[in-house]
Amino acid sequence: MVLVRLLVILLLIRETLAIVLKNGGYEDVYVIILDSNSESDFLLKRIQNVMTSASKLLFTATHNRLYFRKIKIIVPTSWPSKPEYKQLPINSIKESYFSVDVHGYKAPHTKGLFMCGKGGHYMHLSPTFLDEGRSDWGLHDRVIVHEWGHLRWGLYNELPVGAEKFYQADGKWNPVRCTDSIDGDVGLYEGGKCKRSNECNINDASKKMNKKCSFCPYRSQDVDASLMGNQWIHKLSDFCDEDVSTVKKEHRHNRFAPTEQNKQCNYRSAWEVMREHKDFQTVTKLPTSTNTVPEFEIIRETTSYRVFVFDISGSMEGSRMTTLQQTADYVIQELISNGTWLGIVSFSTNAAVEKDIIEINTQTDRDDLKNAVPTEADGWTCIGCGLMEATKLLSEKKDSLQSNVSSIDFTIEDGLGKDTAFTFMTPVDRNIQLQLNGPNSYTQFLETYGNNATLYVPDIAQAGEYTMTVTTDEIPGTAEYHVKSVMTSDDVVRVTSMLSTNNIDFSSGELPVIFTDVTKSYLSVLNATVSASVETNETSCDVRLKDDGIDPDAVINDGTYSGYIFPDCLSYGRVSIKVNVKGNKRETMILKSVTGAANPFEVDEKPVIYERSFQRVEVLEELYVTNYKDTGTSDVIAPGRISDVSLYHIRKESTSQGEVRNFTITWTATGDDKNVGQASSYILRISDDFETLLNDFDSAEQLEMGNVSLIPQESGEKEALKIVVDAEKAYTETSFFAIQAVDEAGNKGDVSNIISIVVAKGYRAAGEEGTLTIEDDKDNVTSIAECNCGMKLLIVVQIIVSFVYVLY
């Protein structure tokens, strides 16, 4: 039997492995084992055991609502066939859901998480994590459910963001954590433990906490929230919920802490985000006795025979035809792997074979297929004609393949070649001769009797074209072969892109965002040049995607590049988008650490310089725009949201009237139109009530600027503001601070992230010149070299605001 695949191309040809949710049970959950893994029954058993325990915990963590019902484990073609394996052609795009790969970072992590509530692209698991015993990242079920929160529901970590491991509130420094019920030690972090030190005094809020100090939660403690925080704590089994009296105290979300969840999800708890996800819209609680053990199906990949069926009827004329050609070119050049078979059929009023099915092994094969893609559209639409012609073509190929097996070509690419082996298999025993010819007159011969033969290439196989000639004493009814060659390096750069939405109502004021994740062996690639070509029937423009942490980019230098599509790049109807990624030799860097499951013993490594150049192209799914209106020269775009307001430095002085504290606040300037240009002004507000800044920003007290205007700098520049607070009473209260940028047309950006500072009752505040150079004093000595100096400073004249404390 020869297995074939029919692939219909209308406007989009990317296949997806879609998870299905039925009555609380997830089905079609794929765990894909990459061919970097040697054949291993142990690995298969471990995947089943880990996913079974994760399913049980998922059921508990979602309050008896969701679990894994059916899981498909995909083993690679490099593994020998077994009777218990179902044989199917599998999607060649392996970055879907769970990916088990030897290469890459060992920490379990999710790639492609771009927006709160949207979910990610796939979860990377290493065989090291799947070993027996407690993993370095905690119990396996806790880790899987933690990462499932990222992958499925778009949750973020409830861990410190960068160096912000503590925040000020209630007269002291508080560890960043989701719930205050989590206990632990505070001290200098060494070897996975906190060594107590006078430098880590949480009760002294008059100076900045030493950056070497950490909070180390106890691994064993009687708390069960939150799984999105330190998932390696033994008993964690739930997610944080709202901070209201109806929620158990240990489950209440801490909105004050500067976590990724707070910054990216507008201070909503995990459960608040989860309830808005489609998974929770219709499901109800299931009986406690529900069987949560998944049904497992093991599927072995086989060679795929595809026919692309193109719609070239009159309805495809214009941008649709252009998009079809670009997408086909991208898939033929980038996504279809060597050793697979592809033909091309087109249809309009009738159907025609544009290219017979051929095996793809060389660039010439790809060029021949690309040149066969139709370029003109005309006629009626007869989809059935195209499908019938494709089915006929596949049937003919099946018959020809069963008649003879004699010569087989394949390519060993540069960077591959380790442990190369060619295996030929037939249903019954027979005489088999294998002769391998390769680059530089390389030849090797093997003769054997049986139902399979494997020829091994010693050492590292040379890169180039190979031909295997197979001779048998009779023509087999069916035959199968595969070639295995392990990477000699992790030198593969991959690009994953998506849109914030594929359908946009222009009248809503929302702007679509392009997100692109650039990785090499699952590690983030920094300093790449990323741009997108955006085309409509009327316009064509380029969008620059940046990894600078400025709206819409969430985190600086994490390998995710983001950019808005502005109104002048849009029009009514379909919008085609193609992402271009380029990296120059020794300019890009590989981030050796990832934001994955927490490991208290892990130490972040410095990025390394990438020694090669690369270029990638990816075609996105089309964007469809409704209610478009040409805005002309009107300024309708507001400045971007400032998301990195932080407390940079604190200095204390004692006076005859009481204590004075100088708080240096910093942030990155946003632009006039989102992250482009220069905003006109800032609105600075401070309040004793967190809710006021979050939900009613305009009613909070605004800092008076006197007769001096506060002029923002160009987008991307570092700003600094010093707020001087003096009071006669003890510093035991909390106040909150946030910023909003405004452009010349009066458009206001979204309110920034909110920070907290410790103040006193009846305190007074004034603004002074801000600086990123920290002056040495007795309480806190910091060298200038540690201060990121050289950035432009924001000079702020004195701001005086009186706050009156009212006794109730």
Side-chain angles (χ1 to χ4, degrees):
M1 178 180 69
V2 179
L3 297 170
V4 295
R5 166 173 290 182
L6 174 65
L7 182 59
V8 178
I9 301 185
L10 297 177
L11 283 176
L12 180 69
I13 57 179
R14 173 172 293 193
E15 303 167 78
T16 57
L17 303 175
I19 293 177
V20 176
L21 179 61
K22 294 182 180 178
N23 300 322
Y26 290 112
E27 300 182 0
D28 290 343
V29 177
Y30 283 78
V31 179
I32 301 177
I33 302 176
L34 277 295
D35 55 11
S36 60
N37 298 276
S38 301
E39 182 196 7
S40 170
D41 290 334
F42 173 78
L43 180 59
L44 288 174
K45 182 62 68 176
R46 285 299 301 153
I47 291 172
Q48 294 177 60
N49 289 344
V50 167
M51 294 305 295
T52 297
S53 61
S55 179
K56 182 179 180 181
L57 177 63
L58 181 63
F59 187 69
T60 301
T62 57
H63 304 169
N64 297 6
R65 287 177 172 85
L66 301 170
Y67 65 100
F68 298 125
R69 181 184 286 127
K70 294 183 179 180
I71 297 176
K72 297 180 180 180
I73 304 175
I74 313 300
V75 302
T77 56
S78 57
W79 288 23
S81 179
K82 291 185 178 181
E84 62 268 29
Y85 295 170
K86 186 175 181 180
Q87 305 287 325
L88 282 179
I90 299 299
N91 182 358
S92 61
I93 306 171
K94 302 181 189 302
E95 296 175 333
S96 300
Y97 309 114
F98 297 83
S99 175
V100 181
D101 198 347
V102 170
H103 301 299
Y105 203 65
K106 290 182 171 55
H109 61 280
T110 296
K111 297 300 293 184
L113 174 58
F114 301 133
M115 297 178 67
C116 180
K118 290 287 187 178
H121 282 309
Y122 65 95
M123 184 191 305
H124 169 66
L125 302 177
S126 66
T128 300
F129 163 73
L130 292 167
D131 279 344
E132 289 182 321
R134 192 183 192 282
S135 81
D136 291 340
W137 303 272
L139 299 175
H140 292 89
D141 54 356
R142 270 68 176 168
V143 177
I144 293 293
V145 175
H146 170 96
E147 292 300 322
W148 186 257
H150 297 312
L151 180 68
R152 185 65 180 179
W153 305 316
L155 304 179
Y156 282 82
N157 283 335
E158 291 160 345
L159 298 169
V161 178
E164 294 183 89
K165 294 180 286 188
F166 298 86
Y167 66 97
Q168 288 203 324
D170 301 325
K172 63 179 181 179
W173 287 102
N174 295 265
V176 174
R177 51 191 169 176
C178 178
T179 168
D180 293 337
S181 298
I182 294 179
D183 293 327
D185 290 326
V186 173
L188 297 175
Y189 185 75
E190 295 179 2
K193 296 181 179 179
C194 285
K195 184 182 295 184
R196 294 188 178 183
S197 169
N198 292 333
E199 299 180 58
C200 304
N201 182 6
I202 63 173
N203 295 312
D204 185 0
S206 66
K207 65 179 182 180
K208 189 73 185 290
M209 178 68 79
N210 190 315
K211 64 181 181 180
K212 295 181 181 180
C213 297
S214 295
F215 173 65
C216 304
Y218 301 135
R219 181 167 289 183
S220 297
Q221 52 183 296
D222 292 325
V223 294
D224 59 359
S226 164
L227 283 164
M228 297 313 297
N230 304 99
Q231 85 292 320
W232 44 267
I233 295 176
H234 286 321
K235 292 190 177 182
L236 293 187
S237 60
D238 211 327
F239 298 95
C240 276
D241 207 339
E242 297 177 78
D243 185 11
V244 294
S245 58
T246 55
V247 173
K248 291 171 60 177
K249 184 178 182 301
E250 57 267 30
H251 291 177
R252 294 177 192 172
H253 177 67
N254 179 8
R255 291 183 298 171
F256 302 159
T259 65
E260 285 188 6
Q261 174 69 20
N262 277 331
K263 289 191 175 183
Q264 304 305 324
C265 297
N266 199 29
Y267 300 93
R268 290 177 295 162
S269 67
W271 261 111
E272 287 175 273
V273 175
M274 290 159 61
R275 290 189 188 100
E276 294 178 1
H277 193 275
K278 62 181 181 180
D279 287 358
F280 293 87
Q281 297 301 307
T282 57
V283 296
T284 58
K285 279 195 174 184
L286 299 171
T288 305
S289 59
T290 299
N291 180 12
T292 63
V293 178
E295 298 176 27
F296 291 97
E297 183 179 28
I298 302 177
I299 301 173
R300 181 178 177 272
E301 289 187 67
T302 60
T303 301
S304 296
Y305 297 89
R306 298 179 172 90
V307 173
F308 285 177
V309 183
F310 291 93
D311 178 2
I312 59 170
S313 61
S315 62
M316 293 293 293
E317 192 173 8
S319 64
R320 288 187 174 189
M321 199 66 189
T322 301
T323 298
L324 183 146
Q325 292 164 0
Q326 291 176 336
T327 306
D329 183 26
Y330 171 67
V331 173
I332 291 170
Q333 295 287 8
E334 301 290 340
L335 300 185
I336 303 296
S337 58
N338 283 349
T340 57
W341 299 72
L342 178 62
I344 296 176
V345 166
S346 66
F347 70 87
S348 56
T349 305
N350 299 299
V353 176
E354 305 287 350
K355 184 69 176 178
D356 286 329
I357 297 176
I358 64 169
E359 186 179 19
I360 301 174
N361 285 300
T362 67
Q363 184 59 46
T364 300
D365 298 331
R366 298 182 189 274
D367 291 340
D368 289 344
L369 287 163
K370 185 180 70 171
N371 293 333
V373 176
T375 59
E376 297 182 357
D378 189 30
W380 301 95
T381 306
C382 181
I383 296 177
C385 299
L387 297 178
M388 289 179 63
E389 191 66 35
T391 303
K392 177 183 176 182
L393 191 62
L394 287 167
S395 298
E396 292 173 352
K397 175 54 63 176
K398 174 180 177 181
D399 293 339
S400 67
L401 286 171
Q402 289 180 335
S403 63
N404 185 27
V405 178
S406 62
S407 183
I408 301 167
D409 298 321
F410 60 95
T411 304
I412 300 295
E413 298 179 17
D414 187 26
L416 298 175
K418 182 181 178 182
D419 299 335
T420 301
F422 179 96
T423 301
F424 178 81
M425 294 169 285
T426 65
V428 297
D429 292 347
R430 53 174 41 88
N431 290 311
I432 303 174
Q433 294 179 350
L434 302 179
Q435 180 172 331
L436 178 64
N437 296 304
N440 300 320
S441 301
Y442 178 83
T443 184
Q444 190 175 352
F445 183 79
L446 172 69
E447 184 172 6
T448 187
Y449 180 83
N451 62 5
N452 68 83
T454 300
L455 187 152
Y456 297 94
V457 179
D459 302 319
I460 304 296
Q462 303 174 63
E465 306 292 329
Y466 286 80
T467 297
M468 178 67 74
T469 302
V470 181
T471 305
T472 61
D473 52 6
E474 60 180 280
I475 297 176
T478 61
E480 186 177 345
Y481 77 93
H482 67 255
V483 180
K484 173 188 175 183
S485 188
V486 178
M487 288 184 183
T488 55
S489 69
D490 296 341
D491 208 7
V492 178
V493 174
R494 293 174 178 164
V495 172
T496 304
S497 300
M498 69 166 281
L499 286 167
S500 58
T501 179
N502 291 107
N503 295 277
I504 188 165
D505 182 347
F506 188 81
S507 63
S508 69
E510 178 186 2
L511 291 179
V513 181
I514 306 171
F515 299 99
T516 294
D517 203 32
V518 185
T519 62
K520 185 179 81 71
S521 193
Y522 305 99
L523 302 178
S524 298
V525 178
L526 310 183
N527 301 337
T529 301
V530 184
S531 64
S533 300
V534 181
E535 296 185 359
T536 71
N537 287 331
E538 303 174 357
T539 64
S540 176
C541 63
D542 291 330
V543 175
R544 178 73 184 275
L545 277 61
K546 298 181 181 180
D547 182 18
D548 56 4
I550 303 175
D551 183 32
D553 192 58
V555 181
I556 187 173
N557 290 336
D558 67 344
T560 297
Y561 300 76
S562 315
Y564 282 106
I565 305 178
F566 289 108
D568 56 356
C569 293
L570 299 173
S571 68
Y572 180 84
R574 297 184 183 276
V575 180
S576 303
I577 303 168
K578 182 170 60 179
V579 174
N580 300 277
V581 180
K582 183 179 180 181
N584 295 324
K585 181 179 179 180
R586 296 188 63 81
E587 290 184 5
T588 56
M589 303 179 73
I590 308 301
L591 189 64
K592 300 295 288 184
S593 302
V594 298
T595 303
N599 177 0
F601 300 100
E602 217 156 38
V603 178
D604 288 344
E605 300 181 44
K606 294 182 178 180
V608 298
I609 295 174
Y610 189 38
E611 297 289 345
R612 294 190 178 182
S613 299
F614 63 88
Q615 190 165 2
R616 298 289 184 270
V617 177
E618 185 171 31
V619 179
L620 274 67
E621 186 174 350
E622 286 186 333
L623 171 68
Y624 192 79
V625 180
T626 57
N627 295 321
Y628 176 79
K629 180 181 179 181
D630 188 351
T631 58
T633 59
S634 301
D635 186 353
V636 297
I637 307 301
R641 177 178 183 258
I642 298 168
S643 59
D644 63 346
V645 181
S646 62
L647 179 55
Y648 185 68
H649 181 56
I650 306 171
R651 181 171 179 171
K652 179 183 69 173
E653 296 178 5
S654 297
T655 69
S656 57
Q657 285 76 34
E659 184 179 316
V660 176
R661 293 188 184 180
N662 299 339
F663 298 90
T664 300
I665 311 296
T666 64
W667 66 91
T668 304
T670 186
D672 175 85
D673 294 335
K674 296 302 183 182
N675 59 358
V676 177
Q678 185 175 3
S680 176
S681 62
Y682 288 126
I683 299 175
L684 313 176
R685 297 188 187 273
I686 194 165
S687 176
D688 295 340
D689 181 45
F690 181 90
E691 289 287 340
T692 299
L693 287 181
L694 180 62
N695 299 315
D696 192 12
F697 184 75
D698 290 342
S699 70
E701 190 74 31
Q702 184 173 350
L703 297 177
E704 293 292 338
M705 299 301 300
N707 297 321
V708 179
S709 299
L710 181 59
I711 307 299
Q713 297 185 84
E714 285 284 339
S715 176
E717 297 292 343
K718 203 71 174 179
E719 311 272 38
L721 163 70
K722 183 189 289 184
I723 299 179
V724 179
V725 174
D726 66 272
E728 290 77 29
K729 297 185 178 181
Y731 281 69
T732 58
E733 305 297 313
T734 308
S735 190
F736 303 94
F737 177 79
I739 307 172
Q740 189 178 46
V742 184
D743 67 15
E744 290 183 349
N747 299 308
K748 296 180 180 179
D750 291 335
V751 177
S752 72
N753 64 299
I754 302 171
I755 66 165
S756 57
I757 58 175
V758 167
V759 295
K761 293 179 181 179
Y763 70 96
R764 298 166 297 278
E768 293 183 355
E769 177 183 338
T771 176
L772 299 179
T773 302
I774 298 176
E775 300 175 5
D776 292 347
D777 58 40
K778 296 179 180 179
D779 296 323
N780 195 337
V781 179
T782 307
S783 68
I784 292 179
E786 296 174 338
C787 298
N788 255 339
C789 299
M791 301 178 180
K792 294 182 181 178
L793 307 179
L794 173 66
I795 300 178
V796 183
V797 299
Q798 189 170 26
I799 309 164
I800 303 178
V801 179
S802 298
F803 293 86
V804 180
Y805 177 74
V806 181
L807 294 174
Y808 293 93

